[in-house]
Amino acid sequence: CLREMIAPGALVILTPIITGFFFGVHALTGLLAGSLVSSVQMAISASNTGGAWDNAKKLIESGVHGGKGSEPHKAAVVGDTVGDPL
């Protein structure tokens, strides 16, 4: 529901404003720099994760760990589906 997104949106919008107002420019600079560095690390991690899940599914489909139709293959298909957007 759209109403559930009000609090996270407000947090993102208000955090820099409140930090800058109450703690000053240096604290705001630290907040924004830390957010940027954290975001880059998350992007790199997500990119590698999506590729790893895809490669795992292909490995299982090649016959390792039971091949297609096995329980590991079913789990790998779910993992690859989750990993596709990453």
Side-chain angles (χ1 to χ4, degrees):
C1 182
L2 192 56
R3 289 183 189 264
E4 294 175 359
M5 295 306 297
I6 292 174
L11 181 67
V12 170
I13 301 278
L14 295 177
T15 298
I17 294 169
I18 292 171
T19 301
F21 184 74
F22 285 110
F23 301 108
V25 174
H26 294 301
L28 178 60
T29 304
L31 174 75
L32 295 176
S35 298
L36 180 64
V37 170
S38 300
S39 299
V40 169
Q41 174 57 40
M42 289 288 290
I44 292 170
S45 178
S47 174
N48 289 338
T49 300
W53 278 339
D54 186 49
N55 291 339
K57 186 184 78 154
K58 289 177 184 176
L59 180 70
I60 293 170
E61 287 176 348
S62 72
V64 179
H65 299 293
K68 285 189 175 184
S70 65
E71 286 299 316
H73 182 257
K74 291 176 186 175
V77 168
V78 172
D80 185 39
T81 302
V82 171
D84 280 342
L86 301 176

